[in-house]
Structures are given as C-alpha cells and as structure tokens.
Amino acid sequence: MTGAAALQRWWPWVPLLVLVLLPVGIRETFYLDLLMTTFMYAAITLGWDIMGGYAGYVSLGTVGFYGLGSYAGALLLLRFNIPVFVSAPFIGVLCSLVGAGLGWIALRTRAAAFVIVTLTFTSIVQLLALNLKGLTNGSSGLYMPLLTLPNNLILLPFYYYMLALLVFAYFVSRAIRGSKFGLGLIAIREEEEKAEGLGVDTSLYKILAFAISVFFACVAGALRAQYLNYVDPDIAFDLFITLSPIVMALVGGRGTLIGPLLGAFLVQPLSQYLVFLLPSSVAGQLHLVALGVVLLLVVLFMPDGIVNAYRSARAGGSGWRGRRQTAPPAEAAP
Amino acid sequence: MTRADGAAPALPAGTLEARDVYRSFGGVTALAGCSLRVEPGTITGLIGPNGSGKTTLFNCITGFYQVDQGQVTFGGVPIQGRRPNEIVHMGVVRTFQVTRIFRGMSVLENMIVPLRQQTLKTLFRPAIGGHEQERAEHLLEFFGIVQLRTHLAGSLSFGQQKLLELASALMVGPKLVMLDEPAGGLNPIMIERMAGYIHELNQQGTTFCIVEHNMDLVMQFCDPVFVLHRGQTIASGPPSIIREDPLVLDAYLGD
C-alpha cells in the first residue's frame, strides 16, 4: 500500500482516535458537553441527509422522532426498569418502524406532501405527550433517576455512546452511498420518474431510506433524556432539533458523506460559543438569530455547502445543483 | 417481480396490446378508444399530428398514467394499473420525449441505476463492479461512448445523452423498448447513427415501438405503422399503405 493510499484509507480513524482520547485531557464539563452535543447533531444530521441529501426529500419531522425516543427511553426506564443504555438501540429500531409506517403514508406521492406529513407527525406526537397524562405526566414531565456514577465521570458514558452513534451513522451513510440502493436514492433526487421508468421501486427506496434516517434522531433522543434526567414536551419537541440538522447539512454540503459531519462540527460549537458569549438574558433567543443569519449567508453564497463548493472549485465546474440547472449542451458532431 | 431469464418462469412471447384505451384530463379527452398492437420482433411506428395522444398512450402503457377505460396487456398479461417499475420488470421499458438522464452522475453510474429485478440482496450490493459493470461497459461500447464512462452525464452532448438514455434503458434487459422521439433534436448524421443502432438491436431480437415525427425515418424503418388522430387509431398497416391512406392525409393536412 502506498503512502497516499494508506492515508486515504486510514485518515478517518485519526480524528476518531483524538475524540476517543480527548476526555483524558479535558475535564471541563462545558467542553465535554459541547463535544457530546456535537456528536449528537452530527449523527442526527448524517441520518437526516440519507433522506434529505441523497434522496432529496426534506423531512421536518426530526424532532418528532427525537421526542419519541426521549419518551420511550424514559418510560422504559420508569415502568420496566430498563436502562436507557440498553434500550436505546431497540428504541431506534422501533422508531424506524414508525418511520416506515409514516413513509408508507407520505412517500407514495411526490415532494410536498412529505414535508407536511413529517411536520404534522411532530405536532401529533407532541400533543400525545402533552395529553396522555397517565403515561407521560403531561406538561410536568417525567423525572428519571440519576446514573450512579461520581459527578466527574457522569458525562463519559454519554460522550462515548454518542460518539459510537456518530461512528455508526458515518458507516451506514458510507455503505449506502456506495451501494446500488444509494445510487437509486440519488437517481430519485435527480429524476424520480426516470428512476421509476428504469425499474426502481421508488416508494420502497424512499420508505427504506426514511426508516434508516430516523433511527439516529430516536437513539439520540433516548440518550439525551437520560443525560438531562428529565423529559417534558417542550424539551423533547424543541423545534431546534429539527432545524439544526438541516442548517448543518446545508452548511457542510447536502448529499455528501463528509458534509453533514463538517456542518455539525462547525455550527454546533459556533452556536454554543455565542450562547456563552452573549449575556444570559438574551442568549436563548439571539443564538437562534445567529443560526438564521448563518443559514441565510450559506444559501446566498454557498448554496451547495462547503464540500460541494470545494469539489466544484477543484473540478472547475459547478456543484451538483449547478450541474442540474445547466442547459443541455449544444449538439455535437458525432 | 422476476424476469424470463434464469430460473424464473418464462413469460409468454411479448405482444403488447392496447385495446380501446380512454384517458381524459379534466374535460380534455386525450385518448378516445385508441388501440395499438406491437408484435414481437417488429419496429412498430406510432405517428400522428401534435396533440393526437401519442405520448399519453405511451404513458398509459408504461404505467405513468392510469387508463380510464380499456385494456393494456403484454404477453397476454394485463399491465394496466401496475406501477412503472413493475412494468419494467415484465420487460417493457421506455425513454422520454425530453431526454432524461441523471445529470449529476457519471455515465457509468447512469448505467447502474436501472434494475433488472429487485431483491434486497441486489439493493445493498456495491454500486460499481462485477458482472453488471461489464455489461454496462459492453453496451456503452456498442453505442460508441465507452470512453466517456467516467464523465458527468450532464456534460455530454445532446446526441450522446440520447444514446446514453437508450443504453441505460437496455440495462434492464427489456423485450420491448418504447422510444419517444429517438431522433428528436438530432442532426442528420446523428439520426442515421441512432437509426443504425435501433436497426441492429432489432436484428438481435429487441422489439421497438417508436413515436417519431421524422417521416422518412418512420417510413424507412417501421412496419407496421399506427396513426393516431384526436385520441383514436385511424389507420394501421405497412408504411406503403399508410402513406396513401386518405384518412391519414386528411389528419395531417386537413383542418
């Protein structure tokens, strides 16, 4: 193996190793918490991008699945005494089934219906959480027992669990990108009718992609509920969880493997840094405004995100969006 | 859905038959009882003035539109009401009037998207490689564009894009290929080249049904020819007869 090939093959493991070892050196809760939430957003964004980037179907239902995961984790712990660390993957699979069901309703049609159904789904789950008081304790929320760990270590299991979720999301996204399934999803994004006319079962592809894509938000929601030891409808269904991954994917580059990662690792620290900098009386609102400004700037100046802009700069052409919009070239002599 | 090759049960020889097909959009009747029959081994032509319903009929046959009334069968099996992808897996594939390819993908990737059959195993196979890539490159070679395989499909010339669209349709291993204006927008040299490919593929056993406005091409290559006018089939037969048919002349030249 040549040096360049080895680098190509092994470079993803270097940042991973750094992230695994970081908690040895860094003990400040602020930074570990920041890294953990960044992992969480990166995993959710990678998941969202399977549907929103590869297949081109924008979901506004991320927080619906996140909240579903939060409540499922809390309830399984409180009612059946199953630790969230054990239940989280199973909750993820369960949510994927819910996602498949929702997809079955919304994805047999094209485009706009999907956005609306995913948004509606979020509202429905939130209303259920608010009103099924016997189960969810309504707006008072559910308190979960603390993990029995010393205070300075209590963050670590969450840190590593989220990191593992992120790594898993990365490999799932990579496997899809390199498969015939992934190629089919991109075909759906580019020319859905054409894909169907070439034998691709577009409904099945979209439903499968959506089911896989919501897994990560769900697991993240379950873990986060245990991390906060508390879940209520406002926390579990914070619209920020839906919007952030979209901003992150747009900043990094939709429909790429690295874009969602890059977006999460840029936007989340930036946004938290702003919260830290600003006076606490306005931070809660102002960092949302800042996020909006970032989104605006990206859409204006780099509509395809960093990765796509970089690639097209290197190729001397335009990104995938630009390519789609170019007029058919003039007919050439044979 | 299985195909006729391999262990799958063989489908009956593929005669495509559309009988008394009706289709309207709101108050506009696009198809008013038209019929079409494509015998295996032929290059069947479908002509008619603008707005006579040719593309609508194509869409009805290939599952993109549902028929309001009438029957569409392929090899004796009804296909109306099936999804486009199911119809592809029965052996009928089509191209589009406005060339549709996946512009952001490479030429080779365009060839890999088509599915001969669908099982979960094929879905999670690596996209590029193996037997399928060989077949794709073989086809690209046939069409003389194999040297462009790593190029972005959107960067090809218009003529090359038309060739790519036909090549990728052939990846599904079709019995019948329905071409919507294969020569549309091509220069005369490219038209000749395209006609040559279609002719050669037909010799190798692929059946074609072609919508085309280029009358020279239709009269030279297609037999039989069906003529649509206002959503009805007004004539069908060998080109020499069609050329003389008073109803056809009236449809093209009359009011």
Side-chain angles (χ1 to χ4, degrees):
Chain A
M1 196 185 286
T2 66
L7 190 73
Q8 189 86 42
R9 173 147 189 192
W10 295 109
W11 77 263
W13 299 102
V14 177
L16 179 60
L17 195 67
V18 171
L19 291 175
V20 167
L21 294 178
L22 260 184
V24 179
I26 297 181
R27 285 295 162 84
E28 285 89 347
T29 312
F30 176 79
Y31 290 109
L32 288 181
D33 176 84
L34 174 59
L35 278 166
M36 190 197 69
T37 48
T38 306
F39 299 159
M40 178 182 91
Y41 276 117
I44 295 177
T45 308
L46 277 164
W48 179 88
D49 200 53
I50 291 169
M51 194 63 191
Y54 292 166
Y57 274 78
V58 171
S59 161
L60 294 182
T62 309
V63 78
F65 288 96
Y66 174 93
L68 199 59
S70 293
Y71 271 97
L75 287 171
L76 284 174
L77 178 69
L78 296 174
R79 303 262 162 145
F80 301 102
N81 218 12
I82 306 173
V84 169
F85 288 134
V86 175
S87 66
F90 298 99
I91 292 170
V93 171
L94 204 73
C95 280
S96 284
L97 292 178
V98 174
L102 194 66
W104 187 75
I105 297 168
L107 285 168
R108 286 176 304 165
T109 57
R110 243 156 249 163
F114 177 69
V115 181
I116 294 161
V117 169
T118 54
L119 194 59
T120 312
F121 168 75
T122 301
S123 306
I124 291 173
V125 188
Q126 186 172 14
L127 277 176
L128 287 177
L130 202 57
N131 291 309
L132 290 178
K133 290 202 173 82
L135 196 63
T136 65
N137 210 17
S139 56
S140 316
L142 296 167
Y143 289 89
M144 300 160 75
L146 286 166
L147 294 185
T148 45
L149 274 176
N151 257 346
N152 58 341
L153 292 180
I154 203 143
L155 225 152
L156 289 184
F158 296 99
Y159 180 95
Y160 285 113
Y161 212 119
M162 286 292 189
L163 183 58
L165 185 67
L166 163 60
V167 171
F168 183 55
Y170 174 83
F171 281 108
V172 167
S173 177
R174 197 174 80 162
I176 288 177
R177 180 63 184 89
S179 72
K180 223 171 142 71
F181 174 58
L183 207 53
L185 293 179
I186 296 170
I188 288 171
R189 177 184 80 204
E190 295 217 342
E191 284 276 0
E192 185 161 351
E193 265 199 341
K194 177 68 187 175
E196 216 174 352
L198 287 174
V200 174
D201 187 342
T202 51
S203 302
L204 178 74
Y205 272 49
K206 288 186 287 181
I207 291 169
L208 205 55
F210 188 52
I212 295 170
S213 119
V214 300
F215 173 88
F216 303 97
C218 244
V219 175
L223 293 175
R224 188 101 171 128
Q226 175 66 75
Y227 176 65
L228 301 171
N229 304 309
Y230 175 67
V231 55
D232 75 21
D234 282 340
I235 291 181
F237 298 99
D238 184 352
L239 207 56
F240 201 65
I241 308 275
T242 287
L243 298 179
S244 297
I246 298 178
V247 174
M248 289 163 182
L250 287 177
V251 169
R254 257 172 94 181
T256 64
L257 184 56
I258 302 300
L261 276 178
L262 197 63
F265 277 85
L266 282 176
V267 174
Q268 180 61 16
L270 186 76
S271 137
Q272 286 310 299
Y273 188 62
L274 279 174
V275 174
F276 183 70
L277 271 187
L278 296 165
S280 59
S281 56
V282 292
Q285 287 84 47
L286 264 190
H287 84 289
L288 282 176
V289 174
L291 198 68
V293 172
V294 169
L295 180 61
L296 206 67
L297 291 176
V298 166
V299 169
L300 273 178
F301 296 108
M302 234 177 359
D304 296 331
I306 295 169
V307 171
N308 287 315
Y310 170 74
R311 277 189 192 155
S312 52
R314 254 181 42 156
S318 44
W320 63 263
R321 173 190 285 229
R323 291 195 302 255
R324 283 174 75 190
Q325 288 173 345
T326 47
E331 189 184 333
Chain B
M1 203 45 57
T2 49
R3 266 184 37 80
D5 55 1
L11 291 170
T15 300
L16 176 83
E17 192 158 21
R19 236 174 316 163
D20 295 322
V21 174
Y22 285 81
R23 168 74 210 204
S24 53
F25 301 93
V28 182
T29 304
L31 297 176
C34 78
S35 298
L36 174 71
R37 190 180 167 88
V38 182
E39 299 280 357
T42 62
I43 302 180
T44 301
L46 180 61
I47 62 172
N50 285 327
S52 57
K54 303 181 296 290
T55 298
T56 305
L57 181 58
F58 254 48
N59 282 329
C60 285
I61 289 170
T62 51
F64 286 91
Y65 292 162
Q66 299 306 320
V67 301
D68 293 338
Q69 229 186 89
Q71 266 238 321
V72 184
T73 57
F74 183 67
V77 184
I79 59 174
Q80 79 261 39
R82 291 185 197 243
R83 308 260 321 225
N85 52 292
E86 293 175 318
I87 293 172
V88 168
H89 294 144
M90 294 176 73
V92 182
V93 72
R94 58 97 51 103
T95 63
F96 291 85
Q97 191 173 355
V98 178
T99 309
R100 292 194 192 178
I101 53 167
F102 308 112
R103 302 179 156 272
M105 291 186 194
S106 74
V107 167
L108 191 57
E109 283 175 326
N110 264 269
M111 298 292 285
I112 303 295
V113 170
L115 280 179
R116 301 184 77 146
Q117 56 190 32
Q118 190 163 279
T119 60
L120 283 181
K121 219 173 80 191
T122 59
L123 276 191
F124 291 99
R125 252 195 337 226
I128 304 286
H131 177 62
E132 204 172 12
Q133 184 180 351
E134 261 171 51
R135 220 158 57 81
E137 290 185 346
H138 187 74
L139 268 170
L140 290 174
E141 208 172 317
F142 174 80
F143 286 100
I145 49 175
V146 72
Q147 73 283 3
L148 302 171
R149 61 180 166 250
T150 58
H151 288 225
L152 267 186
S155 73
L156 301 189
S157 75
F158 182 68
Q160 288 164 341
Q161 292 185 8
K162 286 223 130 174
L163 292 179
L164 174 59
E165 192 184 21
L166 177 52
S168 68
L170 292 172
M171 282 299 287
V172 305
K175 292 195 174 88
L176 167 61
V177 181
M178 312 212 21
L179 302 177
D180 201 345
E181 301 198 21
L186 295 181
N187 67 37
I189 297 165
M190 200 64 175
I191 289 177
E192 205 167 290
R193 195 171 142 189
M194 177 67 91
Y197 290 135
I198 294 171
H199 186 69
E200 194 174 337
L201 289 164
N202 181 245
Q203 297 285 302
Q204 291 169 12
T206 309
T207 309
F208 284 92
C209 176
I210 300 180
V211 164
E212 189 47 68
H213 281 296
N214 184 325
M215 283 304 147
D216 291 342
L217 198 69
V218 172
M219 294 303 166
Q220 192 187 338
F221 276 103
C222 299
D223 189 6
V225 175
F226 285 74
V227 187
L228 287 194
H229 183 46
R230 294 184 178 153
Q232 290 180 316
T233 310
I234 57 167
S236 64
S240 53
I241 307 246
I242 292 297
R243 219 192 305 248
E244 311 293 328
D245 192 304
L247 272 174
V248 176
L249 292 174
D250 195 47
Y252 272 93
L253 301 173
D255 54 344

